[in-house]
Structure formats: structure tokens, C-alpha cells
Amino acid sequence: MAKYLMLKHYRSTSKSLDCAPMDQWTPEEVSAHIQFMHDFAAKLTETGEFVDAQGLAPEGAWVRYDGEGRPPVTDGPFAETKDLIAGWMAIDVDSYERAVELAGELSAAPGPAGEPIREWLELRPFLGAPPTITE
């Protein structure tokens, strides 16, 4: 089994979505979208492919170390709002092809008027082990 992370972004990576941002949806449309996410996770739990999922708030900051005895440096909110991650789902599947299949299904979550939003999801494999350094 291989673990993958499916990242949902507030903004699309290469094309804009065919729908309004979620903060412009009706409460019923938001509820239907969230229910889809819960149902999708439940289906993957039944097949043993679900690891975890969380939605994230749009607020955040970049933080970095700035030297011994100095407070961390922060920069935020994020300069590029298109890079904000709305949420994620971790899956554990038999193959890359299965991960792509599930990401495609998740991309069809309903949006306004119940239509699939066809959002781009970023699919990234977990590292099985730390990278090795060769000389």
C-alpha cells in the first residue's frame, strides 16, 4: 500500500474553477459539499483506504527561524492566496492509478446548484523513507 495526500486549494492551480468561491454559496450548497466529503471518507473507511482528512481555515502565516535567541520571523497572511490549502485527505491505496481515480472522484464534489466543481487536486505521495544521499 502507498499513502498519498490529496490537497484541496482555495484557488485552482492552473485553471479557475467553473463556480463561485465557497463563501458565496448558499448554506444548502455548503452542506451538500461537506456531506459529499463525509460520504467519500466513509466509503474509503469501508475499503480500508482512508487515513485522515481535515479542512483548514484560510488564515495563516509563514514562520521561519531567525537565529539563536531571536524570535521566529512571521510573514502573513500568505502573499499568494491561490496557494492557500483549504483542506486535505490522506489515503492509503494499492497503486498510483487508484490514487488518481480517487482524486478524480473527489474533484467532482458538488458546488453551486449541486453541479460538480471539477476542482484541481494536488496529489502527492508520502515518502516511504527519508531520501538517501549518495556521493
Side-chain angles (χ1 to χ4, degrees):
M1 300 282 278
K3 290 183 182 172
Y4 288 86
L5 187 62
M6 295 188 289
L7 295 168
K8 297 173 65 66
H9 293 266
Y10 281 105
R11 301 277 189 260
S12 174
T13 56
S14 61
K15 294 182 180 179
S16 42
L17 297 176
D18 293 332
C19 66
M22 188 180 274
D23 62 359
Q24 297 175 20
W25 298 4
T26 67
E28 295 80 16
E29 291 166 341
V30 172
S31 292
H33 182 84
I34 299 301
Q35 187 61 53
F36 177 94
M37 299 297 293
H38 287 290
D39 293 345
F40 188 75
K43 179 182 90 165
L44 296 182
T45 298
E46 289 176 16
T47 63
E49 296 172 308
F50 181 77
V51 175
D52 195 10
Q54 295 291 320
L56 300 172
E59 304 84 33
W62 290 90
V63 179
R64 78 158 202 234
Y65 173 78
D66 198 35
E68 191 65 39
R70 300 178 68 170
V73 175
T74 61
D75 182 22
F78 303 105
E80 295 289 335
T81 58
K82 69 178 185 218
D83 293 332
L84 287 172
I85 298 171
W88 54 269
M89 181 176 286
I91 56 175
D92 194 359
V93 294
D94 288 326
S95 67
Y96 171 76
E97 291 75 21
R98 176 65 175 154
V100 169
E101 177 185 343
L102 292 175
E105 189 175 333
L106 186 58
S107 171
E115 293 295 318
I117 59 176
R118 295 179 174 91
E119 68 180 323
W120 285 95
L121 297 177
E122 185 178 349
L123 182 63
R124 300 196 48 193
F126 282 50
L127 286 175
T132 57
I133 300 173
T134 57
E135 292 184 33

